[in-house]
């Protein structure tokens, strides 16, 4: 299931309330549900819900979805021209003809491209096994 970072706090609290009805007062479950509910209310009331939503997204987003590719090029020559234009930054990931490369700075201070497989390449080569 894909996680919804734009959840409505009221909807989550309603679900927690329904779950809590199945447990007795002073149970471990009731305490855990109360703590979770109060934490959400605190985040909402303190104006930190957007910060939490970003944390929630990063916590539940698979790494493959979190990789940002700075540029996509049909040829290595086109990528080298882009790099020579000064637009590249150390660590940028590029896709060149379907393969990943990373912008790195050499000991001489020049930028170059280092072959760095992108997550989708690794997933093709090493598909996840059954869990």
């Amino acid at each position: 299931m894909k996680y919804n970072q734009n959840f409505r706090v009221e909807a989550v609290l309603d679900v927690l309330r329904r779950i809590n009805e199945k447990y007795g007062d002073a149970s471990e479950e009731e305490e855990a549900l109360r703590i979770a509910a109060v934490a959400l209310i605190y985040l909402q009331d303190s104006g930190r819900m957007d910060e939490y939503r970003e944390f929630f997204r990063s916590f539940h987003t698979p790494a493959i979805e979190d990789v940002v590719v700075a540029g996509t090029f049909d040829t290595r020559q086109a990528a080298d021209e882009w790099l020579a234009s000064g637009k590249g930054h150390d660590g940028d990931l590029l896709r060149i003809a379907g393969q990943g490369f990373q912008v790195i700075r050499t000991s001489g201070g020049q930028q170059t491209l280092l072959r760095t497989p992108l997550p989708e390449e690794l997933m093709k080569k090493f598909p996840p096994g059954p869990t």
Side-chain angles (χ1 to χ4, degrees):
M1 169 183 246
K2 187 169 174 88
Y3 292 92
N4 175 13
Q5 76 182 45
N6 295 314
F7 61 85
R8 288 184 22 255
V9 172
E10 295 77 17
V12 174
L13 292 173
D14 285 342
V15 171
L16 292 175
R17 200 172 296 114
R18 287 195 309 268
I19 295 169
N20 191 42
E21 290 172 359
K22 298 178 183 178
Y23 299 100
D25 287 343
S27 68
E28 290 178 350
E29 293 85 358
E30 186 271 338
E31 181 182 22
L33 290 166
R34 184 171 23 92
I35 290 169
V38 171
L40 283 174
I41 293 168
Y42 170 78
L43 290 167
Q44 185 176 44
D45 288 354
S46 66
R48 299 182 69 188
M49 189 55 72
D50 288 341
E51 180 182 338
Y52 176 74
R53 288 181 192 285
E54 180 56 29
F55 172 78
F56 184 78
R57 184 204 59 78
S58 67
F59 189 80
H60 286 291
T61 301
I64 192 169
E65 294 179 19
D66 214 24
V67 172
V68 176
V69 176
T72 300
F73 304 92
D74 292 331
T75 65
R76 174 69 185 250
Q77 180 182 350
D80 286 336
E81 289 171 5
W82 175 84
L83 192 60
S85 74
K87 295 178 183 173
H89 299 92
D90 274 356
D92 281 351
L93 291 175
L94 305 179
R95 184 178 293 111
I96 304 170
Q99 294 185 322
F101 289 82
Q102 185 173 21
V103 176
I104 63 166
R105 189 167 303 281
T106 65
S107 58
Q110 298 293 322
Q111 285 186 324
T112 189
L113 298 174
L114 174 68
R115 176 72 172 102
T116 306
L118 296 169
E120 62 259 25
E121 292 178 80
L122 295 173
M123 293 293 285
K124 286 179 187 173
K125 188 172 183 177
F126 306 104
T131 54

